[in-house]
C-alpha cells in the first residue's frame, strides 16, 4: 500500500500528461512558455481572483509575498508553530522575525482568539496555515487583521481546492500562497507554487520579483530573485487540472469513510462549520503513536508524522526565547498526530484494511 500513490494517478492520466510534456518538448519554450500564462489564467478563474502568479516553489511564494509587501528587518510576522519550517524560514529570509501563536487543537489551525495578544507595532502580516487540507478561520483572522491594518497571507499549501462558506482557499485574503509539490492535493512532478491576489499592484510586484525584479527584460524596478515556475511542470498541471475536482470529491469521500469508522477509537479530524476538507493528510491523534505506527508498518501500511517537533523547538529558533510549554496545543499535537494513507485513488478495500489495523492496534494497547 502506498501512502500517496502518485504512480496510480499518473497511469490514470498518462495519455494527457505525456501529450502535454511532448508539446513543450516540441515548441522548446522551457522558461516562461505559453503554458505558464494558460495555467495562471485557469487557476485564477478556478479560485475566483483576478491574478495567479506561478513561482518556483511554495516556499518561494511565501518569500515573494513578503518581499512585495515590503516586509523586512525590524518587522514581525505572526504564524503557527505547528507547521513545516518554510513558514518561519521565509520570514527570517526577508529579515523579519517570526512570532508564534498557538493552534486550535481541534482544527490544528491558528487560534484567532490568541492573536490580539501577539500583535505589536512591529507586526506587518499574519500568515495562518490551512493545515492538513482545511482552511483556517479566515473570517475572524481577517477581521482582526483589518482592525490593526495588517495584511493576511494564507498559506494554502495543503488546502488548495477546499472551500469556506462557498469561497475557495486562496481567495479569502489579500495574498494567498499554495504549493504544487508532488504530494500536495494539486501537485506537479517537481517543485512549484503559486500566489493569488485581487490587488493589481501587488500582482505586478510579485511578477517582477519572481523574474529578477522586472517585468521587462533588462529593466529592474525591484530587488527580485529567480522564482519562475517551469514550463514542463505547468504543462503537467494543465493535464491534471480537468480531473482535479473529481480528486477533491474523492478525498472528501475517503476522509469521511475514515472518520465514520474511526471516530470512536481515536481523535479524528474536526471540520469547522462552513468548511470543506481536501485531506492533504488524513491525520488522527492517539496516545500511543509510536506503537500504532510500528503495528501498521508490520501490517504493510505506511504512516507519516506531520510534524514531530514544533518550530519553537527547532535549534535554529532557540534565540527567539520560547520554551517548551509556551504553546501547549501545538506541543500536544506534535506528540500525538499520525497521518494515514490518503489519496483519491484509494480503494474501499484499502481504507477498510487501514481501519481494521488501526482498531486492532489501539485495542491492544
Amino acid at each position: 500500500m502506498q501512502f500517496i500513490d502518485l504512480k496510480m494517478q499518473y497511469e490514470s492520466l498518462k495519455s494527457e500528461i505525456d501529450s502535454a510534456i511532448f508539446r513543450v518538448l516540441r515548441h522548446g519554450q522551457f522558461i516562461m512558455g505559453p503554458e505558464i500564462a494558460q495555467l495562471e489564467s485557469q487557476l485564477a478563474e478556478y479560485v475566483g481572483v483576478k491574478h495567479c502568479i506561478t513561482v518556483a516553489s511554495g516556499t518561494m511564494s511565501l518569500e515573494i509575498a513578503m518581499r512585495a509587501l515590503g516586509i523586512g528587518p525590524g518587522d514581525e510576522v505572526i504564524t503557527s508553530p505547528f507547521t513545516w519550517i518554510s513558514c518561519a524560514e521565509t520570514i527570517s529570509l526577508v529579515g523579519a522575525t517570526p512570532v508564534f501563536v498557538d493552534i486550535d487543537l481541534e482544527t490544528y489551525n491558528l487560534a484567532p482568539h490568541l492573536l490580539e495578544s501577539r500583535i505589536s507595532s512591529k507586526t506587518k502580516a499574519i500568515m495562518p496555515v490551512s493545515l492538513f487540507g482545511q482552511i483556517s478561520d479566515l473570517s475572524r483572522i481577517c477581521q482582526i487583521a483589518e482592525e490593526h491594518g495588517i495584511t493576511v497571507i494564507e498559506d494554502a499549501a495543503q488546502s488548495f481546492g477546499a472551500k469556506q462558506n462557498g469561497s475557495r482557499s486562496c481567495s479569502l485574503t489579500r495574498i494567498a500562497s499554495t504549493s504544487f509539490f508532488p504530494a500536495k492535493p494539486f501537485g506537479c512532478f517537481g517543485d512549484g507554487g503559486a500566489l493569488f491576489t485581487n490587488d493589481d499592484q501587488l500582482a505586478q510586484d510579485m511578477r517582477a520579483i519572481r523574474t529578477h525584479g522586472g517585468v521587462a527584460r533588462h529593466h529592474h524596478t525591484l530587488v527580485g530573485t529567480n522564482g519562475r515556475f517551469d514550463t514542463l511542470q505547468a504543462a503537467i498541471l494543465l493535464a491534471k487540472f480537468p480531473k482535479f475536482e473529481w480528486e477533491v470529491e474523492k478525498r472528501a469521500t475517503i476522509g469521511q469513510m475514515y472518520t465514520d469508522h474511526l471516530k470512536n477509537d481515536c481523535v479524528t479530524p474536526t471540520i469547522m462549520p462552513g468548511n470543506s476538507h481536501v485531506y492533504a493528510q488524513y491525520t488522527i491523534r492517539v496516545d500511543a503513536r509510536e506503537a500504532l505506527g510500528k503495528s501498521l508498518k508490520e501490517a504493510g501500511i505506511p504512516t507519516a508524522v506531520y510534524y514531530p517537533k514544533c518550530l519553537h523547538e527547532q535549534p535554529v529558533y532557540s534565540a527567539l526565547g520560547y520554551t517548551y510549554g509556551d504553546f501547549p496545543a501545538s506541543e500536544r499535537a506534535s506528540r500525538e498526530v499520525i497521518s494515514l494513507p490518503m489519496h483519491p485513488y484509494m480503494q474501499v478495500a484499502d481504507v477498510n484494511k487501514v481501519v481494521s489495523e488501526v482498531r486492532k492496534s489501539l485495542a491492544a494497547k
Side-chain angles (χ1 to χ4, degrees), residues 124-135:
K124 294 298 185 291
I126 301 169
M127 189 188 294
V129 183
S130 296
L131 202 67
F132 298 147
Q134 177 173 204
I135 301 172

Side-chain angles (χ1 to χ4, degrees), residues 31 56 60 64 209-213 224-229:
I31 303 297
M60 179 64 73
I64 289 174
I209 292 168
R210 79 168 171 188
T211 50
H212 300 287
T225 186
N226 180 2
R228 299 170 302 213
F229 190 43

Side-chain angles (χ1 to χ4, degrees), residues 12-287:
S12 75
L13 291 164
K14 185 178 188 301
S15 176
E16 294 90 337
I17 291 172
D18 289 355
S19 295
I21 290 172
F22 281 108
R23 275 196 298 273
V24 176
L25 297 179
R26 283 192 293 269
H27 69 55
Q29 298 178 55
F30 300 115
I31 303 297
M32 298 303 289
E35 286 80 2
I36 296 292
Q38 185 181 350
L39 178 66
E40 289 176 345
S41 176
Q42 288 192 19
L43 295 187
E45 181 180 1
Y46 173 76
V47 167
V49 297
K50 291 169 66 177
H51 304 284
C52 168
I53 302 98
T54 55
V55 296
S57 68
T59 301
M60 179 64 73
S61 69
L62 296 174
E63 181 178 344
I64 289 174
M66 286 183 281
R67 283 174 177 259
L69 291 168
I71 295 171
D75 296 332
E76 295 178 348
V77 178
I78 292 173
T79 193
S80 166
F82 183 59
T83 184
W84 180 237
I85 197 166
S86 56
C87 296
E89 73 182 353
T90 50
I91 297 168
S92 300
L93 284 170
V94 299
T97 301
V99 174
F100 299 128
V101 168
D102 209 357
I103 61 169
D104 175 339
L105 195 53
E106 289 195 352
T107 64
Y108 307 110
N109 290 332
L110 192 148
H113 71 279
L114 299 175
L115 260 178
E116 297 261 17
S117 65
R118 302 299 291 157
I119 293 174
S120 75
S121 60
K122 297 179 180 180
T123 307
K124 294 298 185 291
I126 301 169
M127 189 188 294
V129 183
S130 296
L131 202 67
F132 298 147
Q134 177 173 204
I135 301 172
S136 301
D137 188 354
L138 291 180
S139 58
R140 180 62 183 136
I141 292 171
C142 288
Q143 179 185 355
I144 294 168
E146 186 175 356
E147 291 169 358
H148 292 269
I150 298 168
T151 293
V152 178
I153 305 168
E154 182 194 7
D155 180 343
Q158 298 179 11
S159 63
F160 193 75
K163 289 183 179 180
Q164 185 166 97
N165 299 320
S167 296
R168 292 194 189 278
S169 182
C170 294
S171 73
L172 295 152
T173 57
R174 189 180 179 199
I175 305 177
S177 151
T178 197
S179 169
F180 301 136
F181 183 78
K184 296 296 191 287
F186 189 48
C188 58
F189 290 171
D191 276 315
L195 291 151
F196 298 86
T197 187
N198 283 313
D199 188 311
D200 295 339
Q201 186 61 54
L202 274 176
Q204 180 176 311
D205 289 348
M206 290 190 292
R207 285 196 177 93
I209 292 168
R210 79 168 171 188
T211 50
H212 300 287
V215 292
R217 190 168 175 80
H218 302 305
H219 183 69
H220 309 275
T221 58
L222 298 166
V223 175
T225 186
N226 180 2
R228 299 170 302 213
F229 190 43
D230 188 82
T231 304
L232 277 167
Q233 299 300 339
I236 290 164
L237 289 181
L238 284 168
K240 285 187 171 190
F241 187 64
K243 201 172 183 180
F244 177 60
E245 200 59 26
W246 175 87
E247 292 187 349
V248 168
E249 293 171 3
K250 289 293 289 183
R251 285 177 176 276
T253 299
I254 293 165
Q256 191 60 53
M257 287 176 60
Y258 269 138
T259 297
D260 289 344
H261 291 306
L262 291 174
K263 61 186 176 183
N264 295 322
D265 301 279
C266 56
V267 179
T268 52
T270 298
I271 303 178
M272 281 176 50
N275 274 5
S276 67
H277 205 310
V278 294
Y279 296 105
Q281 291 85 28
Y282 186 87
T283 303
I284 60 174
R285 279 198 295 120
V286 296
D287 294 331

Side-chain angles (χ1 to χ4, degrees), residues 286-309:
V286 296
D287 294 331
R289 180 173 69 193
E290 287 72 20
L292 175 59
K294 182 174 182 292
S295 175
L296 293 179
K297 183 178 181 181
E298 291 171 352
I301 298 170
T303 61
V305 175
Y306 304 89
Y307 300 90
K309 186 181 288 188

